[in-house]
Amino acid sequence: MSRRSAAVAASVLTVLALGATSACSSNSSSASGGTPTVKLMVGGIDKQIYLPYQLAQQLGYYKKYGVNVQLSTEQNGGVGAEEAMASGQVDMAGAWYNHTIEFQAKGKAVEDVVQLSGAPGEREMCSKKSGVTSGADFKGKTLGVTDLGSGTDTLTQFLAAKKGVKTSDFHRIGVGSGSTAIAQLQNGKIDCVMTTQPTVAAIQKKGVGTSAIDLATTDGATAAMGGAYPAAGVLARTDWVNSHKDTVQKVVDALVATMHWINTHSAADIANKLPQSFVQNQLVTKADYISALNEDKGQFLPDGLMPAGGPKTSLATEQLVGGVKGSVDLSKTFTNDFAVQANKTEGFKTTTTPAGSNG
């Protein structure tokens, strides 16, 4: 969903160099031995909110479950992961669930096949002099978002609207993430920025801002938004899902196993499995990364199931500030079928209360 800062380029090269997958032919083709190949673009692969996609690769789970996943990431100013998926440039997108609602409103059938988080994983980081403690304080402020029209932009407007503050009462600008977002906050160009780890940890360490609003954990999102807000998941075109069900199941099997692994391992264990450039770079030390993950690990769902009430919360957000008008059939925006089967196959005990067809 978000555009990447220049720092991501180095991370992308690292991912590719690690040999996560070999460059194969086009969408969902077969590699040697008949193993299906899936192209999956992530909306910022080195962000903590999106770590399961790469972690599954590091754990060898894609290979274990019989699928060759070619991971890529959004580039700063480039096409978004969800748009690349919708246009057929890639098969799947590691992006936020709310895009499925937006696509349906535009007449495009896209669905979420496995849900990885029950919270946006974002924090509203504000300078100490901003005086911001909630959306009610946004009036007259300049607020940074990843990009105008991005998920962070929608959430920023939603937090304001929940407190009766109109979008015209404050200013929003796109600041990217990482070093570019930090520089804008540090130089006083913005009062706050909605961002994720590890940028959050870097802002705190530099002393240029503090967390004013927590959307990084399921509990925090529920308190601020009125319910669980499903964010990171795997999105695909419904026609592609219907014609590649076996392949989709393999991808979901790998990611459900990864979510179970995350739930049963420490932040340090997770950091030790990720590429070094993800956890130790110009923004954060490895210790910072682990500390941040300990703080925000509660965003990750243990079983890949869409949580009850989550789609309704997301729809309410889109209707309030996202420009979604008219009726939306939530049953066509997600499916728990693949995740249910994955948990059953592995004998995992599920703890997430799954959403029904009406969300």
Side-chain angles (χ1 to χ4, degrees), residues 21 37 82 102 126 129 144 149 152 156 172 174 187 189 245 250 253 260-261 277 310 317 328 336 357:
T21 56
T37 293
E82 68 282 354
E102 296 170 348
C126 300
K129 64 179 181 180
T152 56
T156 297
R172 301 158 10 251
N187 295 334
K189 302 295 185 181
K245 288 188 176 181
K250 293 175 188 295
D253 286 346
H260 179 75
W261 194 93
S277 63
T317 305
V328 171
N336 275 325
S357 60

Side-chain angles (χ1 to χ4, degrees), residues 235-320:
L235 314 186
R237 300 178 309 281
T238 297
D239 61 345
W240 189 88
V241 172
N242 290 338
S243 60
H244 296 82
K245 288 188 176 181
D246 288 344
T247 298
V248 174
Q249 188 64 63
K250 293 175 188 295
V251 174
V252 175
D253 286 346
L255 286 167
V256 166
T258 301
M259 302 316 293
H260 179 75
W261 194 93
I262 290 172
N263 190 51
T264 55
H265 288 74
S266 68
D269 290 335
I270 295 168
N272 287 337
K273 286 292 184 179
L274 291 170
Q276 184 174 341
S277 63
F278 283 31
V279 303
Q280 186 172 351
N281 50 51
Q282 63 181 7
L283 291 180
V284 291
T285 65
K286 189 172 183 179
D288 292 333
Y289 187 95
I290 292 172
S291 176
L293 184 53
N294 267 322
E295 187 176 3
D296 293 351
K297 190 167 176 271
Q299 70 189 273
F300 295 115
L301 298 169
D303 40 34
L305 295 171
M306 175 65 72
K312 288 183 178 179
T313 302
S314 187
L315 176 58
T317 305
E318 291 296 323
Q319 290 175 328
L320 186 61

Side-chain angles (χ1 to χ4, degrees), residues 177-249:
S177 60
S179 57
T180 58
I182 295 171
Q184 294 278 54
L185 187 63
Q186 190 169 22
N187 295 334
K189 302 295 185 181
I190 54 177
D191 297 291
C192 304
V193 60
M194 184 172 287
T195 190
T196 65
Q197 301 287 9
T199 306
V200 166
I203 289 172
Q204 292 172 325
K205 189 171 184 178
K206 289 177 177 290
V208 298
T210 57
S211 176
I213 303 173
D214 169 22
L215 299 180
T217 63
T218 302
D219 288 344
T222 299
M225 305 183 70
Y229 185 91
V234 174
L235 314 186
R237 300 178 309 281
T238 297
D239 61 345
W240 189 88
V241 172
N242 290 338
S243 60
H244 296 82
K245 288 188 176 181
D246 288 344
T247 298
V248 174
Q249 188 64 63

Side-chain angles (χ1 to χ4, degrees), residues 7-209:
V8 169
S11 296
V12 177
L13 292 175
T14 300
V15 173
L16 297 176
L18 286 168
T21 56
S22 59
C24 298
S25 55
S26 62
N27 298 355
S28 198
S29 61
S30 293
S32 59
T35 301
T37 293
V38 171
K39 293 182 178 180
L40 194 163
M41 181 182 284
V42 182
I45 201 165
D46 60 349
K47 286 186 173 183
Q48 277 194 6
I49 60 171
Y50 290 138
L51 72 82
Y53 308 101
Q54 182 64 38
L55 181 60
Q57 197 76 270
Q58 303 299 113
L59 293 171
Y61 282 173
Y62 295 129
K63 182 178 180 180
K64 175 182 177 180
Y65 291 97
V67 61
N68 178 36
V69 175
Q70 296 180 347
L71 293 173
S72 60
T73 191
E74 289 183 4
Q75 297 296 323
N76 189 35
V79 63
E82 68 282 354
E83 294 294 344
M85 172 274 300
S87 64
Q89 297 176 50
V90 295
D91 305 307
M92 292 177 152
W96 282 14
Y97 161 72
N98 70 299
H99 293 301
T100 67
I101 296 173
E102 296 170 348
F103 279 125
Q104 187 179 127
K106 298 175 183 177
K108 298 180 180 180
V110 171
E111 61 189 89
D112 184 314
V113 298
V114 61
Q115 189 59 37
L116 309 183
S117 67
E122 308 277 349
R123 290 180 181 273
E124 190 72 37
M125 302 299 295
C126 300
S127 66
K128 295 178 181 179
K129 64 179 181 180
S130 71
V132 172
T133 59
S134 77
D137 304 315
F138 286 178
K139 191 171 184 178
K141 300 296 192 297
T142 298
L143 306 176
V145 298
T146 311
D147 291 295
L148 295 180
S150 68
T152 56
D153 189 16
T154 299
L155 286 176
T156 297
Q157 295 177 68
F158 181 76
L159 291 175
K162 286 275 285 185
K163 298 295 184 179
V165 178
K166 298 178 181 179
T167 302
S168 58
D169 290 335
F170 58 95
H171 184 52
R172 301 158 10 251
I173 61 172
V175 296
S177 60
S179 57
T180 58
I182 295 171
Q184 294 278 54
L185 187 63
Q186 190 169 22
N187 295 334
K189 302 295 185 181
I190 54 177
D191 297 291
C192 304
V193 60
M194 184 172 287
T195 190
T196 65
Q197 301 287 9
T199 306
V200 166
I203 289 172
Q204 292 172 325
K205 189 171 184 178
K206 289 177 177 290
V208 298

